[in-house]
Amino acid sequence: MIKQNIIVILTILLCMGCNSAQNSKDAESLQKARLCLYNGEASTLFFIAEQQGFFLKHGIDAEIALYPTGRDAINAMLNGDGHFSVSTEFVVVKKTFSRTDFKILASVTDADINNASTKISSGVFAKKSSGISKPSDLKGKNIATNIDTITEFLCGVFLEQNGMAYTDANVLNIAPNERINFVNNPDFDAFFVWETSIFNIFKPQTDKLNYFPMPSSMPFHFILVVDEKYHRENPEVSVKILKSLYDAEEWAQNNYEELKQLVKERFNLSDDYAVNALKRHKLIINFPYTLPRAMENQITWLSRYKHYGADEIINFSTLFDTAPLKRVKPSSVTIIE
């Protein structure tokens, strides 16, 4: 009996040793990737991939770092704090005037600030105390937004849609952590908003604010960018990241209630606002033909108001790398190359 017990114990210890060795081997085989993400609904596929184990499934040890804006996310990546980043195409367009050592791999969310099916419309909240009762009263006023992000561009489009030029108002930067205190900040007369959560904060303050919605729809993309040197040295990691996100996309399509709960809890939204957020963000991995056109429109707008010279404008196609996505989801690549 004692001999049998010893054999059993030795067998258990041997199995434990084998499992430990296998786990160690599995851990060593994982490829590390640091992801610098905009901390918003547009990054939901990454949160799903992490929560559901899709990164691990495809051999990626993903470390997620969150940033208040896409501008901060891509800057962190380019400063050496990450390998991949997510931001809107406008952030990337503006970044090309100073850096081009990155590649665009895919759009990870198609967004529309004024999706017709939602109850929430993006636009400008203006202080009644600043004498603003209609959009044209914004002329000469200080409008808070996040410079170098999509909100700067959308604010400019809002002004143009209301018969004004970007330069007719004073569009000023506001730090992300100061946005919720905009009403009490004497430096600003108005604030352009498109995020569901921020809209939720200001909308009830009808005693202090007038609200002017964006007159028409404005679709845009959140895109996945990779550091060029890292991508060149680790091309398979880019493919594995895209495979993980594709799995997340399919999960999102088949698990709506769980998806809504994930968005609701992560961003502290009510059921209604979570539903609206998902309507305004199409969680899909693609490389659409609309992306180059959107970037060209944005560079035209920047050239008009920011006085960039023609010699500073690059050919965006040199930044596109569609090969990884073609290996994962070829039908989703629709740009003309």
Side-chain angles (χ1 to χ4, degrees), residues 195-305:
E195 299 99 327
T196 307
S197 54
I198 303 298
F199 180 97
N200 194 15
I201 293 172
F202 291 141
K203 186 61 176 176
Q205 301 187 48
T206 54
D207 59 325
K208 298 179 181 178
L209 301 171
N210 283 317
Y211 177 65
F212 311 121
M214 197 92 170
S216 61
S217 178
M218 180 56 61
F220 54 97
H221 307 275
F222 284 85
I223 56 179
L224 176 63
V225 173
V226 60
D227 175 80
E228 184 177 33
K229 182 175 183 293
Y230 178 85
H231 181 52
R232 186 171 61 250
E233 296 174 351
N234 304 276
E236 287 303 311
V237 175
S238 296
V239 174
K240 292 176 180 180
I241 291 290
L242 289 170
K243 285 181 177 179
S244 304
L245 295 177
Y246 184 34
D247 284 350
E249 176 191 323
E250 291 190 319
W251 183 93
Q253 292 172 351
N254 295 317
N255 298 275
Y256 179 76
E257 289 302 321
E258 292 177 65
L259 170 64
K260 184 177 71 173
Q261 190 64 24
L262 183 154
V263 171
K264 176 183 173 182
E265 292 178 357
R266 178 170 282 274
F267 301 106
N268 193 29
L269 304 176
S270 67
D271 277 346
D272 286 345
Y273 279 92
V275 169
N276 278 286
L278 289 173
K279 285 181 178 179
R280 301 203 306 173
H281 295 83
K282 188 176 181 182
L283 306 178
I284 183 172
I285 304 299
N286 63 359
F287 216 124
Y289 70 91
T290 55
L291 179 58
R293 180 65 179 272
M295 297 176 77
E296 290 168 6
N297 288 340
Q298 290 163 3
I299 203 71
T300 298
W301 182 85
L302 281 168
S303 299
R304 183 161 66 244
Y305 290 115

Side-chain angles (χ1 to χ4, degrees), residues 113-132:
I113 60 170
N114 277 10
N115 188 304
S117 64
T118 71
K119 302 174 184 177
I120 300 173
S121 175
S122 300
V124 169
F125 284 101
K127 294 178 182 177
K128 293 180 179 180
S129 60
S130 294
I132 305 172

Side-chain angles (χ1 to χ4, degrees), residues 4 26 86 109 196 275 284 313 319:
Q4 288 178 333
D26 290 343
V86 169
T109 296
T196 307
V275 169
I284 183 172
I313 299 174
L319 300 177

Side-chain angles (χ1 to χ4, degrees), residues 12 64 83 90 103-104 106 117 133 136 141 171 174 262 310 319:
I12 292 173
I64 291 179
H83 306 119
F90 179 78
K103 292 294 182 183
I104 298 170
S117 64
S133 60
S136 59
K141 301 295 186 180
V171 181
I174 185 171
L262 183 154
L319 300 177

Side-chain angles (χ1 to χ4, degrees), residues 17-56:
C18 290
N19 289 336
S20 177
Q22 183 61 45
N23 290 338
S24 177
K25 182 178 179 181
D26 290 343
E28 290 177 2
S29 67
L30 292 175
Q31 293 176 283
K32 293 185 179 295
R34 183 172 171 83
L35 312 174
C36 301
L37 306 181
Y38 160 63
N39 189 23
E41 299 95 332
S43 297
T44 296
L45 288 180
F46 293 85
F47 304 141
I48 294 171
E50 180 184 43
Q51 184 186 82
Q52 297 298 317
F54 296 140
F55 287 130
L56 292 175

Side-chain angles (χ1 to χ4, degrees), residues 89-150:
E89 78 269 27
F90 179 78
V91 171
V92 175
V93 166
K94 203 163 185 183
K95 182 56 63 177
T96 61
F97 289 108
S98 59
R99 299 281 294 270
T100 57
D101 51 336
F102 55 83
K103 292 294 182 183
I104 298 170
L105 297 178
S107 169
V108 296
T109 296
D110 294 345
D112 191 335
I113 60 170
N114 277 10
N115 188 304
S117 64
T118 71
K119 302 174 184 177
I120 300 173
S121 175
S122 300
V124 169
F125 284 101
K127 294 178 182 177
K128 293 180 179 180
S129 60
S130 294
I132 305 172
S133 60
K134 56 186 182 298
S136 59
D137 292 335
L138 291 167
K139 187 173 290 189
K141 301 295 186 180
N142 294 340
I143 304 177
T145 190
N146 296 124
I147 300 297
D148 295 337
T149 74
I150 189 66

